[in-house]
């Protein structure tokens, strides 16, 4: 790896290398590169020095030269919105998992760790970002806690705390403003945050918002949203100046619905994001490359899809500008831009041949330097007995989990009806609270329990089950392991994946994690679970900012009314 | 006009107005507005409070309501690169002249006044920008003096001086980096400026640059150029990440040549600029509206042309982001964006019905508040005799002026050949120098002399003529009037327009200026001048950063070799 003595030397070397006065570090010969400015592929050689592109035409010499034999090369993909925590991986392993999928930059919101640890959870990602090879940009979590209807460990992160964090070179703006009602009703602390970040980028989060309310939300300064699940909803957002990030997470999958919006005209306004994507899906299907592949298969022109995946998002967040030494310009293949490149074997299938980040091959990166000290978690939940997990009986409000959606249905049913499971959320930050108990449908008829310490956004312990005893065993196992995922059947722990970092992340390698999740899924199916992603769906059942009925440690939340209601139906 | 007490109140009022809780200031009903994000026109009402758009659909009430009966409304136009000085108007009159043409924002480079007055010339425009209604953004002049081959009054503006100016809220970045050779040869002071502005926008100026040299220039951080005069040249710049501003000034007219590049794909990368446009043309043809009109007439789809004229340039310079109270978001018609709107009677002909800047009608603006104190100029040129203006004789290098181009031809001819005129440049900053004398073709057979104190970039006195006595009279008249334009015939001053502000600008109203220029043109024709814009063409004959042969106060400059050569041909 080249040592950069100074910006001054870098600039001199770029100018010299571009004119052939000194050899480049690397020349990729005979490529078809994407010109994002005109949205066409062009033939040429890509010459690179000190991690920066300095030439597009044949003629320059390189210390290393590689004939790519006409392969297509596109700019590194940018994940417009991701919670790294949802990969269950520490940042260094996340990087290792997604770089090989072509994701060279990501805009992350450390909202999960912030809810568990407070501002130090955000600082953890800022510190990590400085040690990674990929560009990890940190949006500062705007809504910790997400609502007043749940208990978190991080307390309340104030506007002042966010402003202090915003000085960090990896801090990009204000993360998803989930408190839509707070904006629309002009809550003082929400307005203080919007004002403080008036000259930075403010990400949105406004599922199903439309009409005058959407206009008010946009007028408050929000400029993106990754929560559109309907085509007309997304179209209205685009028109109102809210860039739409098409999401394909492990649970929320919006690509098929929204892809008709992506064409040449919108290819500099739309982008792709994963939001919450688990290690199994990353390993199995890929990351942003998976979304591009799906988009092209849906009929989007490849150059349009690749432009949306890079240039569009880079421009939105100003990543095409760079910031002196601390950040290269990215999002395009042109002189002066960082050599973030994805070499493709097949352009229409997004078959990745190799990935270059800042001029370095992803497969040659030195993993040893990437460790970041993390939080040792202690789950401090109260000990519970089986009878503590008994909910109200009779006619009850039942949360309806929907396969592949984080939005829920709602219904009033008998608590013992077929397909109705028990659901409990247990505060885990040492307050000593008793669990909140309710009901959910959609998991199938469970013979056992599934529990997790990943429960958006406060990450209390959440457990679904067919009987309270298996649920009790599952909660006890998680408390003992310092958090994680577990499946219990007939009083026995069938599978357990510990997530010791904040109860959210593991130090395990991506490959190991994928295997463990596979085993967890098999165990879930063995006790009757019908959902494809039980842990991810479970994690969203406690998230009271997504419609329409959720359970937090404080009780059943009617998101439409934004208040806690009785589980018993009146 | 609404008083803004604070950002806080503004935000509250926006949120309330968007939801109909309080009336808007103004509702424009029944419009077809341009959605720049999807590049289509949509039907709706535009609701505005405190100068900001808060609604796009029907339903909100306004204190003022106006039925626009289906008229098209597009975002205010942005001039991507302009020297206000070339309008000959002080900023307040410039605003008055261009706002009615729909130009609501402009990126200016006060390069002319900076060459005359130094950093205080830049400060003049920063101060002026704060008092204008239109958004005037100031790029900090990077090349003062433009070269070492001329004498200016402003001395050398260092990187440190530019960094000090860059803290001003109206300072946007580094202005056109004209010293291409300095970049390519890594001049220390040039690199210092590029480094200092590495995290801001750096404008370029690279006529005819291509291949490896263009790559080097782009790799140094330059991201725009308004100097393309050939289609292939502009295409290569676009591909190399250099946004192309299509220019239609009073002399340099590139639109017809470059317009084939503008289509849906490039409509977020290309933009329009005027660079140097005189008051006559602004009054007669218009400003950015003229370029749009021409583009549409050339076959560009109206929505593509209007998108390039607003959103594209706004995104390039980050104007779509805004900056707290000091700057509204502009470049689009959407909630949260400033109400910079052009109402059209005919969309395809760019017939302007009315212009709104930050929610205020341009025709209702109070002009009285816009004055900015300027510089009283003193032209301190040496007094010259006719014989001082005699150039070398015999076979000489002759500059070839080309109608409508600022690039010149070059030829070796006899000094008395038909169509060869005398050309002299006289240092005017009190050094007491003798004039530099040479020859030019293209003006016709002159019976008299034409002189100007506007001579890019150092603004020494420049005079073209058929005889040395008329040239002497013209120089004397300019010295006496404190600068300006003049035409002399048979020893008499036929027309004189004084430009007392730095020898560059007048306090006269746009309408008066137009008339005076008309008279100057007529007088020029009366002495045999064949060029349509003798003063503008003259002004560029001393500019040694534009190929290929120019005359400064220090002598004849071979721009291709970037050195002073003998007028006598060897």
């Amino acid at each position: 790896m080249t040592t950069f003595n100074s910006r001054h030397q870098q600039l001199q070397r770029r100018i010299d290398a571009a004119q052939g006065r000194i050899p480049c570090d690397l020349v990729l010969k005979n490529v078809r590169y994407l010109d994002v400015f005109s949205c066409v592929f062009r033939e040429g050689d890509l010459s690179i020095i000190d991690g920066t592109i300095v030439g597009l035409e044949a003629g320059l010499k390189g210390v290393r030269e590689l004939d790519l034999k006409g392969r297509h090369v596109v700019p590194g993909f940018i994940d417009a919105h991701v919670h790294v925590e949802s990969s269950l991986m520490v940042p260094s392993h996340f990087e290792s998992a997604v770089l090989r999928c072509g994701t060279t930059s990501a805009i992350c919101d450390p909202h999960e760790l912030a809810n568990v640890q407070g501002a130090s959870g955000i600082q953890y990602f800022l510190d990590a970002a400085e040690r990674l090879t990929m560009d990890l940009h940190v949006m500062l979590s705007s809504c910790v806690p997400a609502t007043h209807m749940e208990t978190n460990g991080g307390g309340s992160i104030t506007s002042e705390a966010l402003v202090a964090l915003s000085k960090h070179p990896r801090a990009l703006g204000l993360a998803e403003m989930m408190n839509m009602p707070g904006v629309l009703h002009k809550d003082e602390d929400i307005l203080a945050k919007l004002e403080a970040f008036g000259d930075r980028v403010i990400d949105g989060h406004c599922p199903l918002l439309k009409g005058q309310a959407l206009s008010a939300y946009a007028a408050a300064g929000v400029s993106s949203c990754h929560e559109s699940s309907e085509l007309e909803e997304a179209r209205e957002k685009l028109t109102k100046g809210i860039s739409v990030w098409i999401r394909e997470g492990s649970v929320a999958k919006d690509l098929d619905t929204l892809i008709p919006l992506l064409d040449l005209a919108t290819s500099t306004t739309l982008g792709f994001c994963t939001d919450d994507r688990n290690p199994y899906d990353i390993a199995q299907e890929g990351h942003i490359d998976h979304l591009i592949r799906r988009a092209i298969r849906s009929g989007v022109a490849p150059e349009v899809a690749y432009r949306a995946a890079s240039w569009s998002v880079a421009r939105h967040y100003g990543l095409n500008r760079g910031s002196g030494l601390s950040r290269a310009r990215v999002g395009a293949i042109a002189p002066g831009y960082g050599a973030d490149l994805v070499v493709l074997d097949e352009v229409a299938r997004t078959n990745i041949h190799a990935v270059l980040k800042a001029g370095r091959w992803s497969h040659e990166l030195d993993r040893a330097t990437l460790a970041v000290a993390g939080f040792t978690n202690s789950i401090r939940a109260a000990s519970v007995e089986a009878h503590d997990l008994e909910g109200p009986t009779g006619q009850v409000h039942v949360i309806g989990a929907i396969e592949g959606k984080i939005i829920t249905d709602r219904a009033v049913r008998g608590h013992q009806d077929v397909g109705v499971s028990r659901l409990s959320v247990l505060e885990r930050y040492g307050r000593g609270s008793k669990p909140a108990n309710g009901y959910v449908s959609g998991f199938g008829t469970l013979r056992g329990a599934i529990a997790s310490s990943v429960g958006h956004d406060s990450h209390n312990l959440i457990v679904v089950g067919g009987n309270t005893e298996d649920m009790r065993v599952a909660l006890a196992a998680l408390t003992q392991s310092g958090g994680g995922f577990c499946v219990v059947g007939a009083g026995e722990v069938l599978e357990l994946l510990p997530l010791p970092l904040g109860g959210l992340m593991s130090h395990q390698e991506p490959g190991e994690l994928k295997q463990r999740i596979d085993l967890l899924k098999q165990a879930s199916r063995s006790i009757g679970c019908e959902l494809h992603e039980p842990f991810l769906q479970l994690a969203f059942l406690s998230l009271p900012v997504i419609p329409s009925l959720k359970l937090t440690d404080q009780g059943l939340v009617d998101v439409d009314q934004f208040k806690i209601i009785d589980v018993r139906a009146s």
Side-chain angles (χ1 to χ4, degrees), chain A:
Chain A
M1 180 190 176
T2 310
T3 304
F4 304 148
N5 285 339
S6 72
R7 164 95 181 133
H8 191 71
Q9 283 186 6
Q10 255 186 71
L11 200 51
Q12 290 177 318
R13 284 166 56 80
R14 276 185 206 176
I15 292 168
D16 283 339
Q19 296 173 92
R21 294 180 194 141
I22 58 173
C24 294
D25 294 334
L26 175 64
V27 178
L28 305 178
K29 301 175 87 80
N30 300 317
V31 306
R32 293 193 180 92
Y33 66 92
L34 180 63
D35 171 348
V36 296
F37 311 106
S38 297
C39 209
V40 293
F41 282 99
R42 301 192 189 277
E43 296 184 5
D45 285 8
L46 302 180
S47 301
I48 297 158
I49 194 163
D50 296 345
T52 301
I53 299 166
V54 292
L56 303 178
E57 312 103 329
L60 294 178
K61 301 284 178 200
V63 175
R64 281 169 87 174
E65 296 188 354
L66 201 61
D67 186 347
L68 287 177
K69 298 175 181 168
R71 282 191 178 84
H72 289 79
V73 179
V74 293
F77 311 142
I78 306 176
D79 191 338
H81 176 76
V82 60
H83 302 286
V84 172
E85 299 96 314
S86 294
S87 75
L88 308 179
M89 298 180 228
V90 290
S92 55
H93 286 158
F94 173 77
E95 160 173 290
S96 157
V98 304
L99 255 187
R100 51 178 283 282
C101 301
T103 305
T104 53
S105 298
I107 319 294
C108 82
D109 170 11
H111 178 79
E112 316 312 338
L113 198 61
N115 263 292
V116 172
Q117 302 283 356
S120 64
I122 299 177
Q123 190 67 50
Y124 171 89
F125 277 94
L126 290 168
D127 292 343
E130 293 210 305
R131 301 181 196 181
L132 296 179
T133 299
M134 77 179 293
D135 283 337
L136 189 68
H137 300 282
V138 181
M139 298 297 279
L140 304 177
S141 310
S142 65
C143 299
V144 178
T147 72
H148 59 283
M149 296 177 291
E150 57 197 307
T151 306
N152 76 357
S156 178
I157 302 184
T158 63
S159 175
E160 290 72 25
L162 295 177
V163 168
L165 290 165
S166 74
K167 317 291 184 205
H168 193 285
R170 291 286 164 178
L172 204 57
L174 192 63
E176 51 179 328
M177 177 45 73
M178 293 188 294
N179 193 345
M180 287 187 323
V183 175
L184 302 179
H185 296 109
K186 305 176 293 173
D187 287 3
E188 282 299 320
D189 67 320
I190 297 296
L191 293 202
K193 287 171 184 168
L194 294 172
E195 283 162 43
F197 285 82
D199 58 353
R200 305 287 284 266
V201 192
I202 302 177
D203 277 347
H205 165 115
C206 52
L208 304 178
L209 199 64
K210 62 184 180 181
Q212 292 182 353
L214 180 60
S215 294
Y217 188 72
V222 174
S223 62
S224 73
C225 177
H226 56 274
E227 289 286 345
S228 301
S229 57
E230 297 178 2
L231 186 61
E232 184 49 32
E233 173 195 4
R235 194 210 55 73
E236 185 181 343
K237 285 176 184 165
L238 267 191
T239 294
K240 290 186 172 170
I242 294 186
S243 293
V244 169
W245 306 146
I246 297 176
R247 172 178 58 184
E248 195 79 354
S250 287
V251 176
K253 296 178 192 292
D254 305 311
L255 191 134
D256 287 343
T257 305
L258 304 183
I259 205 66
L261 269 186
L262 179 55
D263 57 22
L264 187 58
T266 59
S267 62
T268 56
T269 321
L270 282 160
F272 297 117
C273 77
T274 62
D275 200 4
D276 299 289
R277 199 160 172 82
N278 72 22
Y280 185 89
D281 288 347
I282 294 172
Q284 199 73 12
E285 299 176 332
H287 200 243
I288 294 296
D289 58 323
H290 172 65
L291 281 78
I292 297 169
R293 204 174 288 124
R294 293 278 303 276
I296 296 172
R297 208 182 301 152
S298 298
V300 174
E303 54 273 28
V304 165
Y306 290 111
R307 189 194 215 191
S310 55
W311 178 236
S312 176
V313 180
R315 266 197 126 172
H316 181 91
Y317 289 104
L319 310 181
N320 60 318
R321 292 219 187 155
S323 177
L325 258 187
S326 65
R327 199 173 80 195
R329 305 171 69 186
V330 305
I333 299 176
Y337 281 77
D340 292 12
L341 303 172
V342 181
V343 182
L344 299 167
D345 280 325
E346 259 189 291
V347 68
R349 290 171 179 265
T350 319
N351 285 352
I352 296 177
H353 180 76
V355 177
L356 214 63
K357 170 64 202 173
R360 299 160 67 197
W361 296 107
S362 68
H363 53 268
E364 292 178 0
L365 289 176
D366 176 12
R367 292 283 136 215
T369 62
L370 301 181
V372 170
F375 299 95
T376 305
N377 182 57
S378 58
I379 301 282
R380 292 175 292 141
S383 149
V384 297
E385 301 301 325
H387 66 82
D388 293 328
L389 297 163
E390 293 283 355
T393 55
Q395 287 300 101
V396 292
H397 290 288
V398 176
I399 300 168
I402 309 166
E403 173 74 49
K405 299 274 179 200
I406 64 177
I407 293 172
T408 67
D409 274 340
R410 55 192 302 167
V412 172
R413 300 177 62 182
H415 83 280
Q416 288 181 313
D417 282 4
V418 174
V420 173
S421 304
R422 295 174 179 278
L423 181 72
S424 294
V425 176
L426 176 62
E427 180 276 308
R428 62 111 148 162
Y429 296 103
R431 310 275 200 292
S433 316
K434 289 285 180 192
N437 304 315
Y439 297 92
V440 65
S441 66
F443 281 76
T445 301
L446 295 178
R447 301 174 299 275
I450 304 170
S452 171
S453 61
V454 178
H456 298 290
D457 280 335
S458 291
H459 304 294
N460 288 298
L461 302 183
I462 185 162
V463 58
V464 62
N467 65 82
T468 54
E469 176 55 19
D470 283 341
M471 290 165 76
R472 183 197 67 76
V473 170
L475 289 174
L478 285 194
T479 302
Q480 196 175 11
S481 69
F485 293 155
C486 95
V487 180
V488 170
E492 299 288 326
V493 174
L494 304 177
E495 277 298 331
L496 172 70
L497 167 65
L499 296 171
L501 269 94
L504 300 172
M505 291 178 282
S506 157
H507 276 297
Q508 292 187 32
E509 294 280 350
E512 296 167 35
L513 270 175
K514 175 182 177 296
Q515 287 180 359
R516 297 303 297 268
I517 287 172
D518 225 3
L519 293 171
L520 282 159
K521 284 184 178 183
Q522 287 174 28
S524 299
R525 278 195 295 276
S526 78
I527 62 161
C529 179
E530 293 171 359
L531 289 176
H532 182 66
E533 290 288 349
F535 290 97
L536 275 169
Q537 300 237 215
L538 200 56
F540 285 99
L541 292 184
S542 54
L543 180 61
V545 293
I546 299 279
S548 55
L549 202 60
K550 299 294 173 89
L551 185 72
T552 76
D553 67 304
Q554 297 181 12
L556 188 65
V557 177
D558 182 330
V559 182
D560 305 327
Q561 297 185 62
F562 214 63
K563 68 174 195 183
I564 292 178
I565 61 170
D566 200 329
V567 174
R568 276 186 201 85
S570 56

